Amino acid sequence: MQQDRGTAAPRKFPTISSDQAQSLASQLKRKIKGEVRFDPGSRALYATDGSNYRQVPIGVVIPRDAEDVIETAKLCHKFGAPITSRGCATSLAGQCCNVAVIIDYSKYMNKILEIDPVRKLARVQPGVICQDLRCAAEKYHLTFGPDPATHRWCTLGGMIGNNSCGVHSQMAGRTADNVHELDILLYDGTRMTVGPTTMAELDATIRQGGRKGEIYARLQSLRDCYAGLVRERFPRIPRRVSGYNLDELLPEEGFNVARALVGSEGTCVMVLEATVNLVHSPPARSLLVLGYRDVFSAGDHTPVIAEHKPTGLEALDFKFVDDLKLKGLQKNHIKMLPPGKAWLLVEFGGNTKAESDEKARMVMAKLRLKPGAPSMKLFDDREEEEEIWHVRESGLGATAHIPGEQENWEGWEDAAVPPEQVGDYLRGFKRLLDKYHYVTSLYGHFGQGCIHCRINFDLKTAEGIRKWRGFLSEAADLCLEHGGSLSGEHGDGQSRADLLPKMFGRELIEAFEEFKGIWDPDWKMNPGKVVRPYGITENLRYGSTYRPPEPETHFKYVVDGFSFSHAMERCVGVGECRRHESGTMCPSYMVTHEEKHTTRGRARLLFEMLNGSELRKEGWRSEAVKESLDLCLSCKGCKGDCPVHVDMATYKAEFLSHYYHRRLRPVHAYAFGLIHKWAHLASFMPKIANFFGQHAMFAGIAKKIIGIAPQRKLPPFAEQTFKDWFRSRKVPMTLNDKPRVILWPDTFNNYFHPQIARATVEVLEDAGFKVEVPEANMCCGRPLYDYGMLDMAEKWLKNILDTISPAIQDGTPMVVLEPSCATVFRDEMGNLFPHDQNAKRLKQQTFLLSEFLNKHAPDYPEKQLDEHAIVHGHGHHKAVMRMTDEEAVLKRALPNYKLLDSGCCGMAGAFGFETGDHYDVSIKCGERVLLPEVRKTDHEILIVTNGFSCHEQILQQTGRKAMHLAEVLQMVMREGHVRLPEKAKGRESTPDVTTRPRKRWRWVAAGA
């Protein structure tokens, strides 16, 4: 059930046959309330984690409660099936993939059961997201200290499994240091609560007998046998994560069985509940950023700074920042860094801002006296501090898939040394990298001596893998020479477990094996990880036998070397698409909490479609891939939010084009995909079309035939199209000598909302431009992509390139009002026609209205409104064009606005009109942020958004009519007053609109 892709012969661990797996699945479905998924698609979905490894599981169980986990363990024990526990699967060492039954706790077992602020304890289920616990604890001025860069989506169960750390482990230690008690389940069905144990309690437990008494007696014997070696060989450093925590069984540590199990990576027990410690959360924070001439000098200063007990002490080197720049990430935030080639980010906490600032200034004064004193910048603005931390948290995304560079991989990404050794260790590590001709950026938790890096290993050839294995051996030796730990955060899993004898010696490895055997004598808990492990070069996701097919595609995948298969390698499993609370990616996951609806899950299934033994048989006709992509809204949120720019909207269009090749599509695909043709026909008799579309009886029949949700209303056609209006108007003679600009008459603003296009003409002419509109009946084909109609999309785009070729070659700019249409010209077109010079020119000449004004009329408008507004950004706008230009224009024209972090509105073109799951997901997406915000907003406050689908979602669910930016600017022209200098206004530019005095809102119909 697994395929070795490395150079070594695979190590075999007992598993079960396919027939036994099906019998197990059948019994599980009868016995548990949760979900049982042993189908090929689900198994493929869970075949890998964030590491270099891939193992197809036996099946997946998603339990609803602890009783489901107990029943699952009972049945797995009956069949002899191994078990692997899984949180959000961002593990980098391979511990979350195995030939086992995967138990995924994240969907249902994710509750905070209790917070005791007096005792500073929290009781949680294993699927609780770290950030959710931290936010809940903040109500009591408490926090859970460890916070990995993935803290907004990683789970407590995963953190307990890996002994995770993070920025604020500087003040609170590892997860092990913050666990009070664990409610655990053994493979044999034994359930017990474990924690610190006094000598009296230990004696009583052993005397009581039973399975728990037996385990405690054997643990005591193990401790007594190996205590001397543990004290001698366990490095006394802040970030010793490698190996089992046998040191926690020592008498001086209180025989803490719970903490001994933290970091055991699911190889010993399952965690049903955890009681964890909370620590004081300083209400005030100050961030000091220090710039150094190189990362080694930054490392040398780390111990000096650590003496002042910062709450966080992180580092970035110049390559980390350069990689961010190359990928277009965090551009504005990087500019805030002080001069240097490496930076330390030092956070201090206090009860007041003055107190935390004073701590920072003390360090600044001390460093000024040191040789090689750094440049310094103390941040006092909370938003700026958060922006700098976002730069640091971009680590994995910043260092993966760098344009123009070799691929970078984990594999030696988190070794830790004593903080006082950081500078010297890094110098030695750089020499080792040079010896092997490897390149990497260096960053991490320098305050605790933990170094992160992704290195340009070659993991696809036998020679490259041998070279990597040799490097790992020497890197381990170097780390241990400096008194370090092979893992300082991510665990051993499979990627470092083979190296543990170097660190601990053969006797302690035997102690680790005995420790596992005490808990798991059947050797069925996540076998092959940590102890008696698979070899480092086994089970590689790629390996020397990796040979993906190269199918012919419509899109050319320019940024992926013109290779669809390479594009399917883009996802590195960081899991940022599993966020629930912010951003645009991924709207369907935000409401379903299903792994298959994450960007990562969809990318993994597409990879398996090319490379997996089961899904590869179905290829483009894979129903598992089709099902996963079905709830993708094609919002492009992933292209903007994903740190490695996975572009699922493009992959979905590509897949559907092949899936439906020589097949009929559903009726709604032709109804919505060809909306331009139907709208053009309706424009000849709009009143008749609207009669049938708006009359309840006829509309009901039409919706049933097409597959439109009965709750939806069909948008009415305009009685006069924009192009008809434009043809009939008289252009003022004064505009003849003005610069020309094309206004693209997209389907939605031509046939449905012509008032927006009319407002745009008025605005552009007021700004000093002569507007031209193409006469030909053309469409960019945006809706075609949602249904994979790429043959037709290519033809329509070629027609556009030919028809407006003279204007393109003259360099005439083109303003596009609908963000999704703009992305066709800015994104899809170049990917379809990468070598067409006109396509390249048109991409550069296509602007949204705000972009055009900012570039060609940067002071426009010269007037502004006193109205207040909330602004929702269209998904394509945020992902491809960003909101920077939009906000710049709004600050000039309508400064009292609030930009919502509302993600996708949920309508997403025709997605929200379609019946069934599409409609349900659409409403849930809208109800997450946008629709409640609109409902609670007074009617005097403007609702601003540029997308047709966003307008429809808001109108149909709230009754509120939203405005396009063009209509706002038209309103400014007609009712605004001359803009005063900012200082003269005496107000901030982006207020909380709910607390400002409001003026009466007067709706001005654009074009009236």
Side-chain angles (χ1 to χ4, degrees), residues 78-90:
K78 173 184 173 181
F79 281 87
I83 292 175
T84 293
S85 295
R86 174 166 160 144
C88 78
T90 56

Side-chain angles (χ1 to χ4, degrees), residues 361-664:
R361 291 193 176 96
M362 288 175 62
V363 170
M364 294 169 76
K366 190 168 186 176
L367 290 176
R368 287 191 184 102
L369 302 176
K370 294 284 182 183
S375 61
M376 306 180 193
K377 187 172 182 180
L378 177 60
F379 289 84
D380 270 330
D381 181 85
R382 184 72 179 185
E383 286 188 11
E384 288 187 344
E385 292 172 8
E386 290 178 359
E387 288 166 355
I388 294 294
W389 283 121
H390 287 160
V391 173
R392 165 61 187 87
E393 289 174 2
S394 299
L396 183 55
T399 55
H401 296 289
I402 310 302
E405 295 187 9
Q406 285 181 265
E407 294 165 313
N408 296 326
W409 307 100
E410 58 273 3
W412 184 260
E413 74 285 340
D414 71 325
V417 297
E420 62 272 15
Q421 293 282 329
V422 169
D424 287 340
Y425 168 74
L426 288 177
R427 290 179 179 93
F429 189 60
K430 180 62 167 63
R431 289 191 292 271
L432 182 62
L433 289 167
D434 291 344
K435 173 182 175 181
Y436 278 84
H437 304 289
Y438 287 146
V439 177
T440 186
S441 60
L442 298 167
Y443 63 103
H445 314 286
F446 277 26
Q448 293 195 311
C450 181
I451 316 301
H452 290 321
C453 55
R454 284 176 66 93
I455 302 174
N456 59 331
F457 302 125
D458 168 12
L459 301 185
K460 294 181 180 178
T461 69
E463 178 56 34
I465 293 168
R466 282 192 291 271
K467 178 181 173 183
W468 170 53
R469 187 62 182 83
F471 169 83
L472 292 180
S473 183
E474 290 196 53
D477 291 339
L478 175 68
C479 176
L480 299 176
E481 285 170 15
H482 288 271
S485 171
L486 306 184
S487 173
E489 180 155 30
H490 299 145
D492 300 312
Q494 184 178 339
S495 66
R496 278 174 289 276
D498 246 4
L499 299 169
L500 291 181
K502 282 178 174 281
M503 179 173 171
F504 292 104
R506 186 67 250 167
E507 292 166 293
L508 279 180
I509 295 300
E510 291 173 359
F512 291 160
E513 292 182 359
E514 186 177 341
F515 181 78
K516 176 176 168 61
I518 290 170
W519 296 103
D520 178 29
D522 296 292
W523 218 260
K524 294 293 185 181
M525 296 296 294
N526 211 14
K529 315 294 176 174
V530 185
V531 290
R532 297 186 191 171
Y534 290 103
I536 291 173
T537 62
E538 295 178 58
N539 304 316
L540 289 175
R541 193 189 312 181
Y542 302 109
S544 59
T545 63
Y546 178 62
R547 190 184 176 191
E550 288 292 352
E552 283 192 26
T553 57
H554 293 275
F555 291 108
K556 302 306 183 289
Y557 304 97
V558 182
V559 297
D560 290 292
F562 296 89
S563 166
F564 179 75
S565 66
H566 189 266
M568 295 308 101
E569 299 174 12
R570 183 166 285 275
C571 177
V572 295
V574 68
E576 194 160 346
C577 45
R578 289 178 60 97
R579 292 174 304 179
H580 295 175
E581 81 296 346
S582 65
T584 306
M585 175 185 69
C586 177
S588 50
Y589 173 76
M590 287 181 178
V591 300
T592 68
H593 294 183
E594 281 276 2
E595 175 70 18
K596 68 181 177 183
H597 296 147
T598 63
T599 302
R600 178 179 73 177
R602 291 169 178 140
R604 293 283 166 75
L605 283 173
L606 285 164
F607 176 87
E608 293 289 326
M609 182 190 79
L610 294 180
N611 301 285
S613 57
E614 291 182 88
L615 295 192
R616 188 169 181 172
K617 295 174 185 176
E618 299 176 353
W620 293 114
R621 296 294 170 93
S622 170
E623 291 299 328
V625 176
K626 167 73 160 49
E627 181 185 346
S628 175
L629 291 171
D630 185 56
L631 291 186
C632 170
L633 283 76
S634 297
C635 68
K636 290 187 181 284
C638 48
K639 182 154 187 170
D641 287 5
C642 173
V644 292
H645 304 306
V646 168
D647 186 2
M648 197 51 60
T650 295
Y651 308 159
K652 177 182 179 180
E654 186 73 64
F655 174 82
L656 291 177
S657 73
H658 297 276
Y659 179 86
Y660 283 115
H661 182 60
R662 295 181 180 174
R663 282 178 168 182
L664 283 175

Side-chain angles (χ1 to χ4, degrees), residues 107 202 225 270:
K107 185 175 180 181
L202 176 58
C225 179
M270 291 160 273

